[in-house]
Amino acid sequence: MAKEILSLRNVEKSFGDTMVLKDISLEVTQGEVVSIIGSSGGGKSTLLRCATLLETFERGYLAYEDIVVAQPGPDGRAVYADKATLKKARSKFGLVFQNFNLFPHRTVLQNVMDAPVRVQKIDKEEARAMALELLAKFGLAGKEDMVPNELSGGQLQRVAIARALCTKPDILFFDEPTSALDPELTQDVLRIIRDLAEEHMTMVIVTHEMTFARDVSDRVIFMDKGVIVEEGTPEQVIDHPRHERTRAFLRKIYD
Amino acid sequence: MQMMSVVLPDLGAGFVLSLEIFVVTLLGALPLGIVIALARMSKFKPLSLVARVYISFMRGTPLMLQLMALMFGPYYLLGVNMGSGWKFGACAIGFILNYAAYFAEIYRSGIQSIPVGHYEAAEVLGYSRAQTFFYIVLPQVIKRILPAMGNEVITLVKDTSLAFVLGIAEMFTEAKALAASFVSMIPYVIAAAIYWIFTLVVEFILNKTEKKLDYYHD
Ligand SMILES: Nc1ncnc2c1ncn2[C@@H]1O[C@H](COP(=O)(O)OP(=O)(O)O)[C@@H](O)[C@H]1O
Ligand SMILES: [Mg+2]
């Protein structure tokens, strides 16, 4: 059986009095591509933010392989591990944001190679070579010395994906990677993610692109109002949804 | 002509002192302002409150009064005689503490204008908080606050003349003495010209820096 990269179990997360994640469990094995679909406000971003330690949850368990990030304490509330463990966990994943969040004052190449050098203490020349290779692979050769404001949205998102990959994560999260892009630019970005899927990169992708999700995913999760309503192969969830809420959502998307 | 041979060297010596006050203030207040800004934004409420009160007081009372308080405070409050060299210490400390308060507010506005997403991207990439601040946030802040900082720095050029109240022989003090002894406006005119040229040089440097940072836009 394939190695389990991400284990997230029985997670509960609230903002004030509203519970945004209700008993969510998500396990992802090596090489697996999981898409998360669902209407806005359903808790998809919050789930990714909890998994990437940008938010903390009140209850549940989270681990990357054998690195336990959070687990239930004696009173049932989640207890987070120490700083060193969290740091180790952070080296296991990458996150691609909807609005890229590239650093505007650094060149494309610096954006991609800085974290490997500064955070992971990788040799500068080695990191540069790695970054250049990723950029070339993503059709960005010749853009290395440009700054983000000189690039199109599609190019920016490709740089952001290169930046996330350059730290060699075991799993990559995407939060609506094409939602901020003009329709004609989304395909470039989706093609890159498809290529990564073919190379068996482990990925969790929040997306509204149903055709893409159907093609690329091993598993599709439909989330609504903080719960996982339905989960299965793309055929099961997208083509033959069993739950009325899933059907209603898909009808809305295809209209 | 005879007058000039006295006026120019004296004003020159005064200018050197003015320049020293200017440089020492910047060297002290620019970094101190960052510290105060971070304290002001701290989630630890008492620290944030102290910084707030500090900034409010420093900006809400005259620099001249602050300089006098520093100069004579040790004697009036503690009965300590600081010696004749203290006026330079009081001057440096007064300018630095005062300007750091103004700089802190400018830093704060700059730091708060950086999108949260940049912090989050850095966090996920594994940057420490210090790395995030010095490599991601601060360089962007510098570009954003440069115009506001420039205004303060130009004000500082002229504010150095306030050291006059401490009996420090900076350029304005010299000009006043020369004007009295020669019964002439000329020393004031020359001093004004030197201040003006000084600010023009500062503006030139600021413009150069702004151009240099113009390689990117947000
Ligand atoms: N920082 C926050 N503070 C308060 N409420 C939030 C915050 N972030 C998200 N929420 C709320 O949590 C719910 C889920 O949001 P989100 O995870 O962004 O959903 P999705 O990504 O599926 O659109 C929404 O009702 C949203 O308003
Ligand atoms: Mg979202």
Side-chain angles (χ1 to χ4, degrees):
Chain A
M1 218 194 105
K3 185 161 61 165
E4 202 164 89
I5 303 277
L6 166 71
S7 323
L8 204 112
R9 291 187 210 130
N10 309 110
V11 166
E12 287 183 14
K13 163 81 186 164
S14 302
F15 288 112
D17 290 336
T18 11
M19 200 184 275
V20 174
L21 299 179
K22 301 167 188 161
D23 196 23
I24 295 281
S25 296
L26 171 63
E27 320 218 319
V28 182
T29 56
Q30 190 161 40
E32 204 182 6
V33 177
V34 178
S35 289
I36 304 177
I37 60 172
S39 359
S40 135
K44 306 180 298 297
S45 294
T46 306
L47 177 58
L48 290 201
R49 292 172 61 83
C50 283
T52 54
L53 314 187
L54 290 174
E55 301 278 0
T56 55
F57 48 78
E58 294 89 44
R59 282 168 192 279
Y61 171 92
L62 168 62
Y64 285 90
E65 288 184 66
D66 54 350
I67 305 167
V68 178
V69 172
Q71 55 189 330
D75 61 350
R77 293 184 67 83
V79 179
Y80 276 77
D82 58 20
K83 257 178 122 172
T85 309
L86 299 187
K87 191 171 175 206
K88 235 166 72 190
R90 280 196 186 92
S91 71
K92 294 286 175 191
F93 58 76
L95 171 62
V96 174
F97 298 84
Q98 181 174 336
N99 54 353
F100 333 125
N101 286 328
L102 291 172
F103 305 130
H105 61 304
R106 325 279 327 258
T107 65
V108 165
L109 181 62
Q110 286 167 341
N111 263 283
V112 177
M113 66 177 277
D114 195 62
V117 173
R118 227 185 276 284
V119 176
Q120 302 181 324
K121 313 291 179 208
I122 287 172
D123 174 69
K124 210 168 171 175
E125 285 316 309
E126 196 183 318
R128 183 195 304 277
M130 224 157 62
L132 289 173
E133 190 188 319
L134 279 167
L135 289 169
K137 182 175 154 189
F138 293 170
L140 295 161
K143 310 269 188 242
E144 297 85 6
D145 297 325
M146 293 189 169
V147 285
N149 70 284
E150 295 176 292
L151 303 185
S152 73
Q155 292 169 331
L156 291 173
Q157 195 57 299
R158 282 181 276 157
V159 175
I161 297 171
R163 178 175 72 174
L165 282 172
C166 207
T167 59
K168 296 213 159 92
D170 293 341
I171 180 170
L172 199 49
F173 296 94
F174 294 82
D175 193 357
E176 302 194 29
T178 60
S179 291
L181 303 180
D182 295 334
E184 67 271 21
L185 298 176
T186 62
Q187 291 312 319
D188 290 348
V189 171
L190 295 183
R191 191 170 321 117
I192 280 176
I193 304 177
R194 283 173 202 263
D195 290 347
L196 291 173
E198 268 172 27
E199 295 165 24
H200 303 292
M201 180 75 208
T202 312
M203 295 187 283
V204 176
I205 309 163
V206 174
T207 184
H208 291 301
E209 302 282 339
M210 287 307 137
T211 316
F212 164 76
R214 186 200 281 114
D215 293 350
V216 85
S217 316
D218 300 303
R219 184 150 51 107
V220 175
I221 291 174
F222 171 67
M223 256 183 96
D224 192 34
K225 301 199 174 82
V227 296
I228 293 180
V229 175
E230 187 160 355
E231 168 167 16
T233 63
E235 292 73 29
Q236 289 170 334
V237 177
I238 298 180
D239 298 334
H240 306 287
R242 284 178 294 126
H243 289 261
E244 179 46 37
R245 273 150 87 181
T246 319
R247 286 194 206 117
F249 168 73
L250 289 168
R251 265 200 306 277
K252 235 176 28 206
I253 285 267
Y254 284 123
D255 273 350
Chain B
M1 230 40 251
Q2 178 121 48
M3 182 172 104
M4 281 305 173
S5 67
V6 179
V7 167
L8 288 180
D10 281 10
L11 284 182
F15 174 73
V16 170
L17 266 178
S18 301
L19 189 63
E20 278 177 19
I21 296 168
F22 176 80
V23 171
V24 166
T25 303
L26 289 184
L27 288 180
L30 286 172
L32 181 61
I34 296 182
V35 176
I36 297 169
L38 292 177
R40 168 79 176 77
M41 290 183 293
S42 168
K43 287 199 188 86
F44 181 59
K45 284 282 179 295
L47 181 62
S48 155
L49 186 68
V50 168
R52 224 165 142 154
V53 171
Y54 174 86
I55 292 167
S56 168
F57 180 80
M58 283 298 170
R59 300 203 307 173
T61 57
L63 174 54
M64 195 187 289
L65 189 153
Q66 293 165 18
L67 290 173
M68 294 298 270
L70 275 165
M71 177 79 177
F72 298 109
Y75 182 75
Y76 287 141
L77 294 177
L78 309 168
V80 183
N81 202 326
M82 300 292 286
S84 63
W86 170 239
K87 62 184 174 191
F88 296 104
C91 177
I93 294 170
F95 271 93
I96 289 171
L97 292 183
N98 180 274
Y99 268 81
Y102 285 91
F103 290 165
E105 282 301 90
I106 296 175
Y107 282 125
R108 183 170 70 94
S109 70
I111 291 170
Q112 288 178 339
S113 75
I114 303 298
V116 184
H118 293 191
Y119 288 91
E120 294 185 341
E123 190 179 333
V124 171
L125 287 166
Y127 288 84
S128 69
R129 285 181 66 163
Q131 284 173 329
T132 304
F133 184 73
F134 286 109
Y135 300 125
I136 311 297
V137 176
L138 193 57
Q140 296 189 63
V141 167
I142 288 171
K143 176 176 163 113
R144 289 180 185 211
I145 66 176
L146 205 60
M149 276 293 181
N151 284 336
E152 288 303 325
V153 172
I154 284 168
T155 304
L156 173 61
V157 170
K158 295 167 287 174
D159 271 1
T160 56
S161 63
L162 288 172
F164 157 75
V165 297
L166 302 182
I168 290 175
E170 48 67 57
M171 190 161 61
F172 176 71
T173 312
E174 292 286 1
K176 189 168 181 293
L178 291 164
S181 72
F182 287 101
V183 198
S184 162
M185 276 288 288
I186 299 288
Y188 283 133
V189 173
I190 297 175
I194 297 175
Y195 280 119
W196 191 16
I197 292 167
F198 191 177
T199 60
L200 288 176
V201 170
V202 170
E203 269 175 35
F204 178 77
I205 294 169
L206 286 167
N207 283 336
K208 277 265 177 223
T209 315
E210 230 168 285
K211 284 241 168 63
K212 224 180 121 187
L213 293 178
D214 216 27
Y215 70 93
Y216 80 90
H217 303 281
D218 297 301

